[in-house]
Each structure stands twice: as C-alpha cells, then as structure tokens.
Amino acid sequence: MLQQLFTPSVQHTLDLIGIFVFAISGALLAVRKNFDVFGIAVLAEVTALGGGLFRDLIIGAVPPAAFTDLGYFLTPLLAALLVFFLHPQVERIQTGVNVFDAAGLGLFCVSGTTKAYEYGLGLTASAALGLATAVGGGVLRDVLANEVPSLLRWDRDLYAVPAMVGATMVVLCIRFDALTPVTSGIAVVTAFVLRLLAMRFHWRAPRAWNRRSTVREEDPAKATA
C-alpha cells in the first residue's frame, strides 16, 4: 500500500474543498446558461463528482465514494445553493475561485493516480485515470451544457496539461520507488503552479502544424445547427 500524502481526516477535508470549488464552477456555468434550480444542482454535482465516479467505476471501487460518503454528495448541493442566491457576488471573486480550482486540480490528479495504482492498474493507466479524475467532471459539465469541453478548445488556458504533469510525476515516483508524502506534495504543487502560470500568462496548446491562416475558425452557432 502506498503512503498517503495526508492523514485520512485531512485528505477528506481537502477532497470536500476541491469538490466544493469544482461544484461552484459547474453551478456558475448553469446560471450563465439560464438553467433552473434543478439544472444548477445537476451541473454542480456532475462537475464535482464526475471524475471521481468515472475513476472508481473503472478500478472497481464500488460503490463509489460519492455514494458512501454523504458529505461528498451534499457539498455540491451547498455550492449550488450558494450560487443560486449569490451568483453575482461569486462571479466577482472568480479569480479566487480559479485559484482554488487549480489547487483541486493538483490534488485530484495526484490522489486519483495513486488510488488507481493501489487498485492494481499499471503506471500508464494510473496516470490516465489521475488525469480523468481531475478533468472528467469539467468535461461532463460542458457536454451537458452543450459546449465544446474547455480542455479541447485552443482558446482556453492550459488545464489538462498541468494535471498530466502531476500524474506523470506520481507514476515516475512509483516507478523508482520514490513516492512519499513529500514527493506527492511536490507533484500537487507542480500541477497547481503550472495551472496558475497558464492562467496568468495565457499559455495554450499549439494547434495543427503548418495550419494555414486562411482557414476560417468554425462558427460555434453553425456547428450546432
């Protein structure tokens, strides 16, 4: 069994904080899309828990933690309620929400990778599931809101790449028998800082090589017609 980065109680608290912040982002998108209160709650739940649910189902950790821990299920509802009544105020602190979201990204990519490996997956598969844990909820959120997932759009700051780096650091540490609370913490901080730098300097992934500038961008309105 691999060493835990934090004690179970601290890990649980950090999980709830990450879930809460992810849920905020889902609820805010629902408000922008003019969803009703049920839609806000659904998008909050899916964003917060989607990645972890996918991971747990893949590795056979059933029933998933989201259904065995009431706190995991109720926390997104609390975030949805907050956004329902106070969304103008929450929008004004979006920068702060993004910082906590980046912290959740770093924590979940590392904890997801570690959990997948503990359940018997190989290094590559564990890293992939660590990435899915971190970004899966956001993908489901965007799909339900009828948007191209943010991590697939060239005009959005890097999101999946920091999570990939964090997950890769974890599996490399496992490979060389160097995974400790310290090295796990370094992986979390690395993913967190990379995401912050991407937001600060608007780092984006390159598009197709030798892409001709005369090719027009696809019109989102026509794409959904």
Side-chain angles (χ1 to χ4, degrees):
M1 188 66 67
L2 299 176
Q3 288 182 283
Q4 285 189 309
L5 175 56
F6 303 107
T7 63
S9 60
V10 173
Q11 180 72 47
H12 186 259
T13 300
L14 292 174
D15 282 347
L16 292 180
I17 293 173
I19 286 170
F20 182 81
V21 176
F22 283 171
I24 289 277
S25 70
L28 284 175
L29 179 58
V31 170
R32 297 185 193 115
K33 288 286 188 176
N34 204 30
F35 288 5
D36 62 14
V37 63
F38 181 74
I40 294 172
V42 168
L43 231 57
E45 290 279 359
V46 166
T47 307
L49 303 177
L53 279 172
F54 176 77
R55 177 204 61 214
D56 288 350
L57 291 174
I58 291 294
I59 64 179
V62 291
F67 292 100
T68 58
D69 189 319
L70 193 59
Y72 284 13
F73 182 78
L74 293 181
T75 298
L77 294 182
L78 177 62
L81 189 66
L82 177 69
V83 170
F84 182 79
F85 287 106
L86 300 175
H87 59 88
Q89 290 83 355
V90 176
E91 288 277 13
R92 283 199 289 269
I93 60 169
Q94 183 65 54
T95 300
V97 172
N98 287 340
V99 171
F100 281 104
D101 180 88
L105 182 80
L107 177 65
F108 285 0
C109 74
V110 171
S111 63
T113 302
T114 303
K115 185 172 183 179
Y117 185 77
E118 288 179 335
Y119 272 77
L121 269 66
L123 295 178
T124 301
S126 296
L129 274 186
L131 172 63
T133 304
V135 306
V139 172
L140 292 174
R141 172 201 64 205
D142 293 341
V143 169
L144 288 177
N146 198 30
E147 290 200 347
V148 176
S150 296
L151 82 165
L152 300 181
R153 295 180 54 173
W154 71 270
D155 58 341
R156 298 296 175 88
D157 301 333
L158 293 179
Y159 193 80
V161 171
M164 290 173 62
V165 171
T168 301
M169 290 177 66
V170 172
V171 296
L172 286 176
C173 288
I174 294 173
R175 172 65 180 80
F176 295 104
D177 198 24
L179 188 66
T180 67
V182 173
T183 56
S184 297
I186 292 173
V188 171
V189 171
T190 300
F192 171 61
V193 171
L194 283 176
R195 173 57 181 161
L196 291 184
L197 290 174
M199 292 189 293
R200 173 64 178 84
F201 297 105
H202 302 297
W203 291 345
R204 292 166 183 171
R207 288 185 281 174
W209 186 256
N210 286 334
R211 180 180 181 276
R212 296 182 181 277
S213 60
T214 55
V215 178
R216 298 178 59 185
E217 302 293 344
E218 182 178 355
D219 185 347
K222 293 180 179 179
T224 58

